[in-house]
Amino acid sequence: MSGRGELAGLRALVTGGASGIGLATATLLAGRGARVAVLDLDPGGAELGFTADVSDDASVRTAVAAAAEALGGIDVLVNNAGIGAVGTVADNPDEQWHRVLDVNVLGIVRTTRAALPHLRAAVLSRPGASAAIVNTCSIAATAGLPQRALYSASKGAVLSLTLAMAADHVREGIRVNCVNPGTVDTPWVGRLLDAADDPATERAALGARQPTGRLVTAEEVAAAIAYLASPAAASTTGTALAVDGGMHGLRLRPVAP
């Protein structure tokens, strides 16, 4: 994927880029001029799509190397691949804890580790410019949500990892930030709604807990990621950008009946 625009000349790699937030991000980055490669279990019809399982280090290293070769380098890494989980601490077995943490946290570690040599090379090739890593985190990292113990723990780790990575790599010219979406209208949320006893009522409840009164769109999250990845954010690192309809910071009074 590629085009003309403010990101022209940048080479971006998006994990989990075949659907939801990842697909919206890959599409937007390409529309703004970046050349984009997608890593996914099933990259689908992506022009530059590479099959990778972020829970498998060899798979990640092979896919990142192939993507970097196809792109001619990597300036931007979007760590978006992730999986969800529902339940309290009493509900999820150890195996599920290991699986979700392996994908949501160690998946970022594996992909970043493989991409770092290419990001460093990109900085050296463009004096004065920076490379960028953007991690997809969640409102679950900063707000207590019911029935999301495992998912929240994984995203809390992503938030802390983002800050540590930002500190580690800022002097190399690599910026590291994350986005914290609220409840996004993605295929995963759609499956949760489909499994509810009353999907329409559950959708309304999920929308109502965000002050804007609706679910966040994947395209809105993609726009935040694109900003953090762009030269316009050259002085932004170690930051979590909330895209949550005001859910994190606003405390509205109930609407009178």
Side-chain angles (χ1 to χ4, degrees), residues 39-41 51-65:
L39 264 62
D40 205 289
L41 286 170
T51 301
D53 179 353
V54 297
S55 69
D56 179 79
D57 189 58
S59 168
V60 169
R61 289 183 182 276
T62 298
V64 170

Side-chain angles (χ1 to χ4, degrees), residues 6-222:
E6 65 197 67
L7 303 183
L10 296 183
R11 301 150 300 178
L13 180 59
V14 181
T15 71
S19 65
I21 292 170
L23 176 58
T25 298
T27 301
L28 181 59
L29 293 177
R32 293 187 180 181
R35 193 149 185 254
V36 182
V38 165
L39 264 62
D40 205 289
L41 286 170
D42 179 4
E47 180 181 338
L48 286 178
F50 300 88
T51 301
D53 179 353
V54 297
S55 69
D56 179 79
D57 189 58
S59 168
V60 169
R61 289 183 182 276
T62 298
V64 170
E69 182 176 0
L71 293 171
I74 300 173
D75 303 284
V76 175
L77 171 62
V78 180
N79 283 309
N80 172 73
I83 56 177
V86 176
T88 72
V89 291
D91 297 326
N92 306 115
D94 284 4
E95 293 78 11
Q96 190 176 10
W97 275 86
H98 289 304
R99 173 63 178 164
V100 172
L101 292 171
D102 194 19
V103 172
N104 290 3
V105 184
L106 287 171
I108 291 177
V109 172
R110 294 184 185 101
T111 309
T112 303
R113 189 166 55 202
L116 270 172
H118 305 290
L119 294 167
R120 289 168 175 147
V123 172
L124 292 175
S125 70
R126 298 182 296 116
S130 62
I133 298 171
V134 185
N135 300 325
T136 300
C137 192
S138 172
I139 181 65
T142 57
L145 305 179
Q147 294 288 319
R148 295 292 186 274
L150 169 50
Y151 183 72
S152 296
S154 74
K155 291 303 184 176
V158 170
L159 178 59
S160 294
L161 178 61
T162 297
L163 296 175
M165 288 167 57
D168 285 337
H169 302 294
V170 63
R171 289 178 178 169
E172 294 182 288
I174 301 172
R175 300 182 295 105
V176 187
N177 297 287
C178 67
V179 291
N180 285 6
T183 304
V184 184
D185 200 355
T186 61
W188 180 66
V189 170
R191 289 190 292 272
L192 288 180
L193 293 171
D194 289 342
D197 293 335
D198 186 342
T201 299
E202 182 65 15
R203 174 177 284 273
L206 289 178
R209 74 180 182 181
Q210 296 176 133
T212 52
R214 62 171 178 83
L215 300 183
V216 178
T217 70
E219 289 73 21
E220 289 168 335
V221 181

